[in-house]
Amino acid sequence: MTAPAPSEKALVPFVSVENMMRLVHHIGIERVLTELTDVIEADFRRWELFDKTPRVASHSREGVIELMPTSDGEIYSFKYVNGHPKNMAEGLQTVTAFGLLADVSTGYPVLLTEMTLLTALRTAATSAMAARHLAPKGATTMAMIGNGAQAEFQALAMKAVLGITHVRLFDIDPKATEKTRRNLEGSGLTVMACETSQAAIEGAQIITTCTADKQYATILTDNMVGAGVHINAIGGDCPGKTELHRDILSRAETFVEYPPQTRIEGEIQQMAPDYPVTELWQVVTGQAAGRRDEKQITLFDSVGFAIEDFSALRYVRDRVRGTAFFQSVDLIADPDDPRDLFGMLQRAKD
Amino acid sequence: MTAPAPSEKALVPFVSVENMMRLVHHIGIERVLTELTDVIEADFRRWELFDKTPRVASHSREGVIELMPTSDGEIYSFKYVNGHPKNMAEGLQTVTAFGLLADVSTGYPVLLTEMTLLTALRTAATSAMAARHLAPKGATTMAMIGNGAQAEFQALAMKAVLGITHVRLFDIDPKATEKTRRNLEGSGLTVMACETSQAAIEGAQIITTCTADKQYATILTDNMVGAGVHINAIGGDCPGKTELHRDILSRAETFVEYPPQTRIEGEIQQMAPDYPVTELWQVVTGQAAGRRDEKQITLFDSVGFAIEDFSALRYVRDRVRGTAFFQSVDLIADPDDPRDLFGMLQRAKD
């Protein structure tokens, strides 16, 4: 049984988890985070061009599976991503993902890749991109509340893009904090493990919250947040999941990715439907103000949006080209005569 | 640079085009079509259980890219599929597809597979399943109008499931007809190439239309269709694309997969929004009548639905188990400690 070799059009570059790790180390993780930040910012600049739809979610008792498609008219992308908070207790990832780029003009896929790692990288890069426009100038210190799978990526992105030098960690589980501290050894960051979230935010100009329970929680209360800080609220991304007390939202100026999605999933689901928000892309293009003064509390209410995945996929496609960090998989049937799909199948028998 | 071997949970079985062809020949194509027909019918029996949403389409000037998700509460599936009628002129497939099954309780993928071939197989099996309930008893002859990539699959499914013995072919391109005739040599079917569609439908109890132009077309007119035939209209599946004259629809009893989708994409888009249709799953469960008498014209206005892909994916998952017809790909990052995604990345460097 010798099938004819698949044609070149049938082969799609596939980046496995192992190859993604190799690619990241080949480039250097901080450089990846910096370049991703720039690629995402470039796509936020042309925000209006994109097809935008809220993600297509399939909810179950245990979690959610989502498809996040978008297109700029030339390239189409989607990400498959799950969110299962109870997975961790079973030794599984809360969030896993993979994604695809396709050519709009033919519908043929041009890249298939793991996106669990890539989502962590693009989420951190998006946070850094927002902080570049919203954090107080000269910020040196970030508090990191929630020391799970995202923590180190966030810290390194803020170091690489904003130049922060100090990270103050807190998690309700000291083992998570210890894991993060150990992983950041040798990174050049000064890392302090704190015993309360109150202690962690002392002296921090940037507060990143990244906790994952699927329930209303209050990680930060109003009296904890001083004037002038930037809050980077990335934890949770589903209805019923918040991290901040609503009084903080009343004092802060809030920036979001895509309002129709954030009003359902973000911190602002606690607020009235007319709670004012600024779209981050308008800050990037200069159509709206970012941080206006030193006293202002800015909040990036991040839930993650398909365009950030589009940017990350585009980046990976460009960066794997000419390297050995991918395999070619025959995902697409491509007979010589496109009408002769059956003939292709039949000839594979001989 | 030696990454640790990925854990078993990180590995997803992937069925390439080549392996799908091997699997089909290993089982035998007519047996695959028969078994698929039964698996699809079994899922139609529990239709009410499924999450049903119209597909998520991204339209462009040249075509459409769609995501088709569904779930029965235990297993989630989606298919990526494009439709680009102009592709054929460039030597590309009009329709290519791949799909995924995932475990609803963890969100972890359990199968990734090519679906260009599998879609052709499941489309033919769905047609056979509908014809089993709607075609006149003892049908021996099918007319096949449109001799593209679907034609042979349709003919073999009707042979394997219904026992037809004769196929009468017509296509506006005689080369397409000749390709189909040649491919069906040795299949046990008596095949006749016809010079007009009028000639092709002579004596046929089943008329299958499968043409692909993205525009309103009339493949069949009213005077061509005699009493008692079953029409299996599978070509086209988008707004603006029909094959039958509306007078035929006025005389026929029409059966559909999922009315909200078919009213937009199917033949019945020509008709008033209250044009009566019967849902095929209700015929399968006995809640609605299929063919009632010998004079009736039955029409299966097929556009393809996510549950058929779900069934096909489930079938492939069960059938590749224990065989060599798949590869394991590390699509999912799965660190030993799920919170230690960064540590996994870091250790891959050493």
Side-chain angles (χ1 to χ4, degrees):
Chain A
M1 210 187 288
T2 52
S7 85
E8 216 167 283
K9 288 165 197 155
L11 296 176
V12 179
F14 165 61
V15 181
S16 66
V17 175
E18 186 175 349
N19 273 323
M20 182 63 76
M21 296 196 292
R22 287 177 172 153
L23 176 69
V24 169
H25 289 304
H26 173 72
I27 301 171
I29 182 162
E30 288 194 38
R31 186 159 163 213
V32 167
L33 287 162
T34 307
E35 290 178 350
L36 263 178
T37 300
D38 291 340
V39 173
I40 293 169
E41 182 156 323
D43 283 335
F44 268 61
R45 262 182 224 291
R46 52 194 200 108
W47 186 265
E48 287 165 292
L49 240 150
F50 284 86
D51 266 357
K52 287 172 285 290
T53 48
R55 47 187 138 216
V56 183
S58 175
H59 291 276
S60 63
R61 215 179 45 240
E62 299 99 339
V64 63
I65 296 176
E66 299 173 327
L67 299 174
M68 299 169 68
T70 191
S71 165
D72 70 354
E74 292 188 6
I75 305 173
Y76 169 93
S77 77
F78 83 86
K79 178 165 81 169
Y80 168 101
V81 60
N82 75 300
H84 286 69
K86 60 96 209 175
N87 269 7
M88 209 183 64
E90 300 166 24
L92 300 173
Q93 285 287 113
T94 301
V95 173
T96 66
F98 72 92
L100 182 106
L101 275 187
D103 176 5
V104 166
S105 73
T106 63
Y108 272 48
V110 296
L111 175 72
L112 175 70
T113 177
E114 86 82 33
M115 284 192 83
T116 309
L117 278 161
L118 190 58
T119 296
L121 291 161
R122 78 86 160 122
T123 302
T126 304
S127 288
M129 195 269 280
R132 184 148 72 181
H133 294 276
L134 302 176
K137 292 278 162 259
T140 57
T141 304
M142 177 170 83
M144 183 80 225
I145 315 292
N147 302 154
Q150 261 289 310
E152 300 89 343
F153 297 94
Q154 287 285 331
L156 290 181
M158 293 296 183
K159 171 177 183 281
V161 175
L162 265 79
I164 65 157
T165 51
H166 290 68
V167 177
R168 302 172 67 82
L169 304 175
F170 173 73
D171 195 288
I172 49 169
D173 181 354
K175 287 204 288 284
T177 302
E178 175 52 23
K179 175 251 356 172
T180 305
R181 194 200 56 72
R182 199 176 52 238
N183 281 339
L184 290 174
E185 271 175 11
S187 68
L189 284 165
T190 304
V191 179
M192 168 84 78
C194 302
E195 295 193 352
T196 64
S197 49
Q198 181 68 62
I201 67 178
E202 242 168 66
Q205 298 91 17
I206 300 173
I207 303 175
T208 294
T209 58
C210 188
T211 63
D213 285 319
K214 191 174 178 175
Q215 59 199 32
Y216 292 100
T218 304
I219 310 303
L220 290 183
T221 54
D222 190 36
N223 62 343
M224 291 164 71
V225 177
V229 303
H230 172 61
I231 304 173
N232 176 42
I234 56 169
D237 51 5
C238 56
K241 170 68 185 67
T242 60
E243 298 180 309
L244 308 182
H245 193 281
R246 50 175 294 139
D247 289 351
I248 299 174
L249 297 172
S250 303
R251 284 164 67 206
E253 181 118 10
T254 299
F255 300 83
V256 304
E257 290 141 320
Y258 182 58
Q261 187 173 300
T262 311
R263 291 203 188 271
I264 295 169
E265 302 174 0
E267 296 300 321
I268 60 171
Q269 66 185 275
Q270 307 176 63
M271 310 306 279
D274 62 349
Y275 172 81
V277 298
T278 304
E279 294 187 50
L280 189 56
W281 72 269
Q282 295 190 310
V283 176
V284 170
T285 59
Q287 291 168 255
R291 170 168 291 273
R292 281 191 319 264
D293 61 57
E294 286 171 23
K295 299 274 173 156
Q296 193 184 15
I297 298 172
T298 51
L299 165 63
F300 177 40
D301 186 3
S302 172
V303 298
F305 192 62
I307 294 173
E308 295 148 22
D309 300 312
F310 176 97
S311 310
L313 286 162
R314 213 160 58 84
Y315 176 71
V316 170
R317 183 201 54 184
D318 292 345
R319 279 306 215 149
V320 295
R321 208 172 270 156
T323 73
F325 305 124
F326 66 92
Q327 310 153 240
S328 291
V329 296
D330 65 327
L331 189 64
I332 297 302
D334 191 63
D336 296 335
D337 172 358
R339 286 178 305 196
D340 200 11
L341 189 63
F342 186 86
M344 182 185 82
L345 172 61
Q346 210 169 27
R347 283 186 290 278
K349 193 179 182 181
D350 305 331
Chain B
M1 215 187 288
T2 52
S7 86
E8 216 167 282
K9 288 165 197 155
L11 297 176
V12 179
F14 165 61
V15 181
S16 66
V17 175
E18 187 175 348
N19 273 323
M20 183 63 77
M21 296 195 293
R22 286 176 173 156
L23 176 68
V24 169
H25 289 304
H26 172 72
I27 301 171
I29 182 161
E30 288 194 39
R31 187 159 163 213
V32 167
L33 288 163
T34 306
E35 291 178 350
L36 262 178
T37 300
D38 291 339
V39 173
I40 292 168
E41 182 156 323
D43 283 336
F44 268 60
R45 261 182 224 293
R46 52 194 198 106
W47 186 265
E48 288 166 289
L49 240 150
F50 285 86
D51 266 359
K52 288 171 284 289
T53 48
R55 47 187 138 217
V56 182
S58 175
H59 291 277
S60 63
R61 215 181 44 238
E62 298 99 338
V64 64
I65 295 176
E66 298 173 328
L67 299 174
M68 299 169 69
T70 191
S71 165
D72 70 354
E74 292 187 7
I75 305 172
Y76 169 95
S77 76
F78 83 87
K79 178 166 83 170
Y80 168 102
V81 58
N82 75 300
H84 286 69
K86 59 99 208 171
N87 269 6
M88 210 184 65
E90 299 166 24
L92 300 173
Q93 286 285 114
T94 301
V95 172
T96 67
F98 73 93
L100 182 104
L101 274 188
D103 175 5
V104 166
S105 72
T106 63
Y108 272 49
V110 297
L111 176 72
L112 175 71
T113 178
E114 87 80 33
M115 285 192 80
T116 308
L117 277 161
L118 191 57
T119 296
L121 292 161
R122 78 84 161 126
T123 301
T126 304
S127 288
M129 195 268 281
R132 185 147 71 182
H133 294 276
L134 302 176
K137 292 280 163 256
T140 57
T141 304
M142 176 171 84
M144 182 79 225
I145 314 291
N147 302 153
Q150 262 290 310
E152 299 89 344
F153 298 94
Q154 287 285 330
L156 290 181
M158 294 295 184
K159 170 176 183 282
V161 176
L162 265 79
I164 67 158
T165 52
H166 290 68
V167 177
R168 302 174 66 84
L169 305 175
F170 173 72
D171 195 289
I172 49 170
D173 180 354
K175 286 204 289 285
T177 301
E178 176 51 23
K179 174 249 358 169
T180 305
R181 195 200 56 72
R182 198 175 51 236
N183 282 339
L184 290 175
E185 271 174 10
S187 67
L189 284 164
T190 304
V191 179
M192 167 85 77
C194 303
E195 294 194 353
T196 64
S197 49
Q198 181 69 63
I201 67 179
E202 241 167 67
Q205 298 90 15
I206 300 173
I207 303 174
T208 294
T209 57
C210 188
T211 61
D213 284 319
K214 191 175 178 173
Q215 61 199 29
Y216 293 99
T218 304
I219 310 302
L220 290 184
T221 53
D222 190 37
N223 61 344
M224 293 165 71
V225 177
V229 302
H230 172 61
I231 305 173
N232 176 42
I234 57 170
D237 51 4
C238 54
K241 170 68 186 65
T242 59
E243 298 181 307
L244 308 182
H245 193 280
R246 52 175 293 138
D247 289 351
I248 299 174
L249 297 173
S250 303
R251 284 165 65 207
E253 181 119 8
T254 299
F255 299 83
V256 304
E257 289 140 321
Y258 182 57
Q261 187 174 301
T262 312
R263 292 204 187 269
I264 295 168
E265 301 174 0
E267 295 300 322
I268 61 171
Q269 66 185 276
Q270 308 176 60
M271 311 307 277
D274 62 349
Y275 173 82
V277 298
T278 304
E279 294 187 50
L280 189 56
W281 72 270
Q282 296 190 310
V283 176
V284 170
T285 59
Q287 292 169 256
R291 169 167 293 272
R292 281 191 317 265
D293 61 56
E294 285 172 23
K295 299 275 174 152
Q296 191 185 16
I297 298 173
T298 51
L299 165 63
F300 177 40
D301 186 3
S302 172
V303 298
F305 192 63
I307 294 173
E308 295 148 21
D309 300 311
F310 176 97
S311 309
L313 285 163
R314 210 159 62 81
Y315 176 71
V316 170
R317 182 201 54 184
D318 292 344
R319 277 307 215 152
V320 295
R321 209 173 269 155
T323 73
F325 306 124
F326 66 92
Q327 310 153 240
S328 291
V329 296
D330 65 326
L331 188 63
I332 297 302
D334 189 63
D336 296 334
D337 171 358
R339 288 178 305 196
D340 200 11
L341 188 63
F342 186 86
M344 182 186 82
L345 172 61
Q346 210 169 30
R347 283 187 290 280
K349 192 180 183 181
D350 305 331

